[in-house]
């Protein structure tokens, strides 16, 4: 069987590429090594983590925030088994949704490990030992990523765990030690802190979420300490960890060189992810990996050094985010069909689903300073928002960065209620190259959290925020 396109990997990059290819009339096959489609994102990433974040948020609110609303509860408890079962059901709804979409779009799917025989021929090795060979005019590699394993942090998947095991714990840890203060560690740390765990975060950098605008990390750290009792060990270098029965011991060096020993019952190692290309047979077609990050090198069309072989998502350069992978899937599909799409990589939003949520798009203040660009800022705190007061979510702020001469919005950084959804407004505005004044003069419904963006834009335009 000769396909127009073969896609290896069914995560958000691969499955979206497959659907778009099929929509464009291309005869499409997709290969997935696991029994369910959807990749990291649907099975062990975005979706299950958000399901648990939602469940734990309900519990935390019921335990700590209902009383002030005049709602009393007796005998509140966590049923971990039910919480995990619900999460599994949410995952199933999503993964079976992809199966339905493959059928609807007449995409041929194969379960097995895909590996190159040559640039147009891919072998599918199935779990029962059988093999099948298929050929395609184009191949898209969308094999994603896996957690980074550090040699001095032996992951036993029982007590010293990755995010995958953290999504399936049978009990609420008493003391959870999170190694790595990035997005995944803070989200999973939040889940268990809300359910009652003491959470300690050990981070090598001097701030949490270090790649985002520095103001966001500072505020998030303050709020996580205040509302969930998080403990932070910043600028600490973890040197080892070991399991002792039901305990975990984590060793670190403080910035002053002192030895720090933390004892808990679980430790999540969330120090990043690395591109996954095992068993793909890249050597058979002459593709070598970048030294750093082991990523597949691609050009601006996302084509590898081999014509007709493309790569998208976590396995190539750029942010390891589901929506980036999805947009790249669409881009490659449309290119193969002869269209001329493009992606504005400066406008890929980043989100942290803690509470308050953190969201960001465009350039950070640190990047603007470093580039020497003249810019102005406008900030608005949620404590001045009527909507935030009504819901009791007054932590955080929105910051708008605009070009000092043209007023074009260069970056929007927010920490606050529903920031994950609100960032879309900033992305659209920036996609259309809006000025801060454009946002400031756009009518926003009252009372909404989005008014804080309008106010921050007003503050950036002419320091004319109304409500502060
Ligand atoms: C806990 C956690 C939470 C996250 N939360 C978010 C979030 O909220 N928002 C967000 O944007 N991102 C989030 N991410 C990141 C997101 O999951 C990834 O960026 C995204 O899944 C990458 O998509 P992808 O298609 O490149 O690869 P993946 O989703 O990793 O999919 C790759 C697929 O390829 C398959 N595969 C690999 N090799 C082969 C082979 N040889 N043959 C056949 N199949 C193969 C794999 O089994 C896998 O199914 C999270 C990640 C984690 C771990």
């Amino acid at each position: 069987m000769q396909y127009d396109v073969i896609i290896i990997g069914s995560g958000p990059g691969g499955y979206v590429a497959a659907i778009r290819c099929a929509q464009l009339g291309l005869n499409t096959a997709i290969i997935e090594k696991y029994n369910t489609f959807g990749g990291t994102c649907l099975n062990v990433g975005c979706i299950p983590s958000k399901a648990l974040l939602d469940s734990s948020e309900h519990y935390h609110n019921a335990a700590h925030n209902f009383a002030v609303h005049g709602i009393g509860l007796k005998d509140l408890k966590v049923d971990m088994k039910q919480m995990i079962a619900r999460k599994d059901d949410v995952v199933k709804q999503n993964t079976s949704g992809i199966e339905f979409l493959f059928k609807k779009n007449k995409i041929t799917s194969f379960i097995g490990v895909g590996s190159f025989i040559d640039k147009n021929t891919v072998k599918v090795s199935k779990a029962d030992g059988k093999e099948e060979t298929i050929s395609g005019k184009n191949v898209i590699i969308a094999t994603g990523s896996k957690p980074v394993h550090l040699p001095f942090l032996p992951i036993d998947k029982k007590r010293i765990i990755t995010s995958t095991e953290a999504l399936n714990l049978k009990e609420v840890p008493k003391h959870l030690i999170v190694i790595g203060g990035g997005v995944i560690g803070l989200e999973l740390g939040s889940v268990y802190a809300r359910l009652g765990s003491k959470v300690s975060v050990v981070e090598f950098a001097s701030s949490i979420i270090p790649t985002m605008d520095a103001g966001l990390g500072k505020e998030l750290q303050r709020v996580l300490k205040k509302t969930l009792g998080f403990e932070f060990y910043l600028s600490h270098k973890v040197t080892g960890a070991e399991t002792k029965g039901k305990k975990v011991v984590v060793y670190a060096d403080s910035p002053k060189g002192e030895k720090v020993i933390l004892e808990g019952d679980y430790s999540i190692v969330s120090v990043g992810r690395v591109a996954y290309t095992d068993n793909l047979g890249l050597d058979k077609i002459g593709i070598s990996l970048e030294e750093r990050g082991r990523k597949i090198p691609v050009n601006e069309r996302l084509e590898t050094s081999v014509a007709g072989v493309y790569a998208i998502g976590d396995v190539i350069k750029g942010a390891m985010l589901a929506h980036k992978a999805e947009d790249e899937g669409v881009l490659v599909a449309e290119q193969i069909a002869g269209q001329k799409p493009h992606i504005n990589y400066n406008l890929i939003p980043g989100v942290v689903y803690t509470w308050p949520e953190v969201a960001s798009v465009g350039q950070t203040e640190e990047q603007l300073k470093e580039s020497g660009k003249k810019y102005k800022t406008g900030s608005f705190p949620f404590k001045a928002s009527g909507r935030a007061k009504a819901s009791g979510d007054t932590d955080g702020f929105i910051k708008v960065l605009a070009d000092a001469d043209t007023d074009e919005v260069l970056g929007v950084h927010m920490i606050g209620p529903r920031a994950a959804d609100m960032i879309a407004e900033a992305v659209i505005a920036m996609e259309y190259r809006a000025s801060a004044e454009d946002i400031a003069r756009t009518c926003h419904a009252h009372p909404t959290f989005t008014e804080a963006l309008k106010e921050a834009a007003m503050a950036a335009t002419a320091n004319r925020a109304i409500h502060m």
Side-chain angles (χ1 to χ4, degrees), residues 73-91:
L73 271 177
K74 259 194 197 157
D75 304 328
L76 188 67
K77 66 173 173 52
V78 177
D79 180 348
M80 214 48 208
K81 208 168 153 203
Q82 167 58 21
M83 204 176 277
I84 298 289
R86 175 189 172 272
K87 180 266 302 176
D88 289 340
D89 183 53
V90 171
V91 168

Side-chain angles (χ1 to χ4, degrees), residues 87-99:
K87 180 266 302 176
D88 289 340
D89 183 53
V90 171
V91 168
K92 192 157 181 289
Q93 287 174 41
N94 280 277
T95 56
S96 50
I98 304 298
E99 216 173 312

Side-chain angles (χ1 to χ4, degrees), residues 9 12-13 32-34 39-41 46 50 114 143-144 314 320-323:
E32 170 54 55
K33 71 173 183 167
Y34 289 121
T40 305
C41 173
C46 327
K50 267 81 254 178
T143 49
D314 280 9
M320 287 184 162
L321 292 170
H323 40 285

Side-chain angles (χ1 to χ4, degrees), residues 20 24 301 330-342:
R20 190 70 189 117
L24 292 164
R301 301 181 69 240
V330 169
L331 178 120
V332 170
E334 292 181 349
Q335 264 175 190
I336 291 171
Q339 299 183 4
K340 292 198 164 29
H342 95 289

Side-chain angles (χ1 to χ4, degrees), residues 8-14 31-34 39-41 44-46 49-50 112-114 142-145 163 184 273 276 280 312-314 320-323 325 353:
I8 308 177
S10 73
I31 307 167
E32 170 54 55
K33 71 173 183 167
Y34 289 121
T40 305
C41 173
V44 290
C46 327
S49 59
K50 267 81 254 178
V113 174
T143 49
S145 62
S163 56
I184 293 176
R273 296 179 63 85
Y276 182 75
L280 203 48
I312 58 174
D314 280 9
M320 287 184 162
L321 292 170
H323 40 285
Y353 293 82

Side-chain angles (χ1 to χ4, degrees), residues 66 75 78 90 126 129 180 189 229 264 312 327 337 370 390 423 450:
F66 275 14
D75 304 328
V78 177
V90 171
K126 303 181 182 178
I312 58 174
D327 284 5
E370 203 181 309
I423 198 67
T450 64

